[in-house]
Amino acid sequence: MAVRQKAIATLPKLIRAMRKEAPKQQENLVLPSLRRAFSLYDQINLIDNVPEDQLRFQEFDETSFTVNGVKYDGSLLCVGNLLMSWSPRSFSDITTDSLSIFQTVRPIPELLIVGCGRYNHPMNPQVRQFVKSIGMKLETLDSRNAASTYNILNEEGRIVAAALLPYGVTS
């Protein structure tokens, strides 16, 4: 009981002390938006401390990609940290033949990210089955988000592949 009475007696003093030291109100305090800072739509590279031998998509335009400071025109195929030109020029050109390199690549990437150009398209069921038969999962995205996803997964050390059409491709 003595402890309770002491706490009750101390309470008015505590309230008076808190009123005297009320925090100053800052008017018109605007907090920065984190949405834009971490948006995959606005930033391709989220991690700066990446080894030089890792591929990183840094920029893109209607017809090309910039990877590790080098501009590449046309479609690209990335497997791990290997980069090569890729023959398809439109989404309809993506066939089992255009992806046949994955039958020989070892280790087999866990995921193939297909950048469809400006807009995402559903993948042909035959191509989807082909990729599954190799042992990979397939994700189709617009090329901007495909490049971002590849960067993030590659920077995490995961074995991924990307097949990207330039962003200007619309069909």
Side-chain angles (χ1 to χ4, degrees):
M1 278 298 195
V3 174
R4 185 169 192 228
Q5 288 176 343
K6 187 174 180 181
I8 292 172
T10 309
L11 188 59
K13 292 178 188 175
L14 180 62
I15 292 172
R16 279 194 299 273
M18 289 176 67
R19 285 184 183 155
K20 288 180 184 177
E21 298 177 20
K24 296 178 184 177
Q25 296 290 332
Q26 293 183 359
E27 293 181 27
N28 298 329
L29 178 64
V30 179
L31 297 175
S33 171
L34 294 178
R35 183 179 197 191
R36 187 166 185 91
F38 294 105
S39 170
L40 292 179
Y41 293 99
D42 295 330
Q43 293 186 353
I44 291 179
N45 296 303
L46 300 177
I47 303 171
D48 289 330
N49 297 325
V50 178
E52 289 181 20
D53 64 337
Q54 265 191 348
L55 293 181
R56 289 182 10 176
F57 286 87
Q58 296 166 317
E59 296 178 10
F60 63 89
D61 60 29
E62 300 293 309
T63 61
S64 65
F65 297 94
T66 302
V67 182
N68 291 13
V70 179
K71 186 174 182 176
Y72 296 91
D73 288 326
S75 301
L76 295 178
L77 191 63
C78 308
V79 181
N81 288 316
L82 303 173
L83 179 69
M84 60 196 90
S85 182
W86 190 42
S87 60
R89 299 292 173 235
S90 67
F91 185 75
S92 60
D93 294 340
I94 301 174
T95 63
T96 56
D97 288 339
S98 69
L99 298 172
S100 63
I101 189 171
F102 292 108
Q103 291 176 314
T104 59
V105 170
R106 297 294 180 266
I108 298 170
E110 62 183 270
L111 176 66
L112 172 61
I113 305 162
V114 177
C116 304
R118 186 175 303 275
Y119 306 108
N120 191 5
H121 300 281
M123 185 57 72
N124 175 331
Q126 183 182 8
V127 173
R128 188 172 286 283
Q129 182 58 40
F130 172 76
V131 171
K132 184 178 179 181
S133 72
I134 295 171
M136 295 187 296
K137 294 179 181 154
L138 178 70
E139 184 71 36
T140 59
L141 300 164
D142 63 275
S143 291
R144 174 175 28 188
N145 288 315
S148 297
T149 302
Y150 175 84
N151 281 350
I152 291 168
L153 295 175
N154 194 35
E155 289 167 357
E156 288 177 354
R158 297 180 51 191
I159 300 172
V160 293
L164 304 172
L165 296 172
Y167 189 68
V169 174
T170 57
S171 63

